[in-house]
Amino acid sequence: MRSLAMVDLKSQYKKIKHQVDASIQEVIDSTQFIKGPIVKIFQGELAKYLGVKHVVACGNGTDALQIAMMALGLRPGDEVITTNFTFIATVEVIALLGLKPILIDVDPETYNINTKELRKAITTKTKAIVPVHLFGQCANMEEIMSIAKENNICVIEDNAQAIGGDYTFSNGTVQKTGTIGDIGTTSFFPSKNLGCYGDGGAIFTNNDELAEKISSIVNHGMKVRYYHDRIGVNSRLDSIQAAVLRIKLPLLDEYCQTRQKVATYYNSAFADIDDIATPKVAEYSNHVYHQYTMKIKNGKRDALKQWLNEKGVPSMIYYPVPLHKQKAFSEFAVAQKEFPITDKLCKSVISLPIHTELDEEQLLFISSTVKEFFK
Ligand SMILES: *Cc1c(COP(=O)(O)O)cnc(C)c1O
């Protein structure tokens, strides 16, 4: 059996090596490493794929979130609502900009922002909502957008884990995740569903004015060289990463489908195990399974993790500690709040290997090792 890993970028690369190498070589030959024409071409291709008006590439997914908040003109003290069950980047940039992170509990089934809690958390100081489409499933965007509209609040979708996913509105309209809010952001970190070979990120919007601000912010706040209109940052996708992404973008749908097949395999393998709750997919979203994250009941999660470890099956806990319990946020008001659902999830979730290169033999080994534990 080929060796198991949470992600297998090596096997994936082998299949596209020829195209990727040639694409990278072209950039090297051109020596246009920064702001080469290939970055613009990729931005256009991604915009077309997503069905969004503007894509601005940047240095990474964390920068993308920060730049989005800067473009919205948020001011110190403004409240930004997001969830407590996410990767730290989302909340880190809120704090970094001097904004006030308001964390709320998640839906216990989808792990995404709980819209009832969201309604309750809104105050006159709320300026933005940041839904995180966790593990590859879109949050309830129709509800979130209507709450935002009622209260005149902006929405930034953290789409780092759900690129390629679809959201279906109640009237049947389908839109790509990350293109529904005022701004969407993503990460091209190598292990993400659309990953490059280093760091990378992007920001999406249908709003011309915001797009112009974002383009200026990523580039030291300038439009005309050496004339700086605002305080910006230096955050760019380099040409070599764009060269890799141009090869991988046309494969994204296939990559998502392969992940979905793996999830279907696991779902049916674990269907009759009472102690496992396989991932729930909401009716309004598909799932592109950045992670396959299940809940283990009756306090057996840690023992299962140890068992898998002993048998050579990789697994991960996303996330072991809720954000309000992180040392970094101990001085923040959120540290005093209680989040019963997130607390419970941090103790019960476990993620199994899911990627584009898993074969039948590996899937059988992983699933039967899990099943053996519950016998
Ligand atoms: C990966 C990730 C980010 C950050 O992306 P980087 O490119 O690593 O900066 C932000 N939010 C979420 C939900 C992520 O999973």
Side-chain angles (χ1 to χ4, degrees), residues 46 49-51 133-139 141 157-169 173-180 185-186 193-194 204 249 252-257 259-260 281 284-290:
L46 184 57
Y49 170 84
L50 293 170
H133 305 321
L134 204 71
F135 302 147
Q137 176 171 210
C138 195
M141 285 307 291
E157 295 175 74
D158 183 344
N159 197 35
Q161 300 190 3
I163 194 158
D166 291 319
Y167 182 86
T168 307
F169 287 85
T173 313
V174 179
Q175 243 174 285
K176 281 284 172 204
T177 59
T179 67
I180 301 161
T185 65
T186 203
N193 286 24
L194 178 61
F204 330 129
L249 177 61
L252 178 57
D253 283 343
E254 192 187 312
Y255 286 165
C256 290
Q257 285 154 15
R259 287 171 179 274
Q260 284 158 350
V281 185
Y284 46 73
S285 175
N286 72 347
H287 202 316
V288 292
Y289 294 100
H290 175 59

Side-chain angles (χ1 to χ4, degrees), residues 12-264:
Q12 192 192 60
Y13 168 62
K14 268 187 201 153
K15 291 183 184 161
I16 51 173
K17 178 176 163 50
H18 195 67
Q19 298 97 298
V20 168
D21 290 2
S23 188
I24 291 176
Q25 191 59 51
E26 247 178 73
V27 174
I28 299 174
D29 290 337
S30 77
T31 68
Q32 289 181 298
F33 298 114
I34 299 290
K35 294 199 183 86
I38 196 164
V39 178
K40 239 192 198 131
I41 295 170
F42 170 68
Q43 289 178 162
E45 287 168 346
L46 184 57
K48 186 159 175 251
Y49 170 84
L50 293 170
V52 72
K53 229 168 148 186
H54 308 278
V55 168
V56 181
C58 66
N60 57 66
T62 309
D63 278 3
L65 284 161
Q66 180 181 331
I67 292 155
M69 287 175 206
M70 290 170 76
L72 291 173
L74 304 185
R75 296 260 153 249
D78 287 349
E79 293 181 357
V80 179
I81 304 176
T82 188
T83 93
N84 189 22
F85 192 52
T86 175
F87 179 56
I88 191 165
T90 326
V91 186
E92 199 172 28
V93 298
I94 298 172
L96 205 60
L97 291 173
L99 312 170
K100 195 170 166 201
I102 306 294
L103 303 186
I104 58 176
D105 223 340
V106 290
D107 178 281
E109 300 302 333
T110 63
Y111 314 137
N112 278 328
I113 202 162
N114 181 322
T115 47
K116 277 198 196 98
E117 295 290 323
L118 173 60
R119 258 182 213 284
K120 283 193 264 172
I122 289 177
T123 74
T124 51
K125 286 187 180 158
T126 311
K127 291 293 153 58
I129 304 166
V130 188
V132 182
H133 305 321
L134 204 71
F135 302 147
Q137 176 171 210
C138 195
N140 187 346
M141 285 307 291
E142 188 158 357
E143 181 81 12
I144 293 166
M145 292 313 287
S146 104
I147 295 171
K149 220 172 247 165
E150 277 167 39
N151 296 280
N152 202 19
I153 297 168
C154 296
V155 175
I156 300 169
E157 295 175 74
D158 183 344
N159 197 35
Q161 300 190 3
I163 194 158
D166 291 319
Y167 182 86
T168 307
F169 287 85
S170 49
N171 68 4
T173 313
V174 179
Q175 243 174 285
K176 281 284 172 204
T177 59
T179 67
I180 301 161
D182 299 275
I183 303 180
T185 65
T186 203
S187 161
F188 302 125
F189 186 82
S191 65
K192 298 279 156 93
N193 286 24
L194 178 61
C196 59
Y197 291 176
D199 271 312
I203 307 153
F204 330 129
T205 186
N206 283 306
N207 180 316
D208 299 340
E209 206 179 309
L210 280 175
E212 201 174 311
K213 273 192 199 156
I214 291 163
S215 308
S216 152
I217 291 169
V218 297
N219 188 26
H220 299 291
M222 68 184 169
K223 198 169 163 193
V224 181
R225 205 164 193 189
Y226 304 127
Y227 290 80
H228 305 273
D229 306 321
R230 54 169 60 80
I231 301 294
V233 294
N234 172 25
S235 185
R236 49 205 172 201
L237 182 76
D238 67 65
S239 307
I240 287 184
Q241 300 311 331
V244 174
L245 289 164
R246 274 203 77 198
I247 303 301
K248 290 182 75 174
L249 177 61
L251 299 167
L252 178 57
D253 283 343
E254 192 187 312
Y255 286 165
C256 290
Q257 285 154 15
T258 312
R259 287 171 179 274
Q260 284 158 350
K261 274 187 205 147
V262 172
T264 306

Side-chain angles (χ1 to χ4, degrees), residues 101-103 323-325 329 331-339:
I102 306 294
L103 303 186
L323 294 173
H324 76 289
K325 288 188 176 158
F329 296 119
E331 306 285 306
F332 286 73
V334 293
Q336 310 305 323
K337 272 184 70 181
E338 279 179 33
F339 300 86

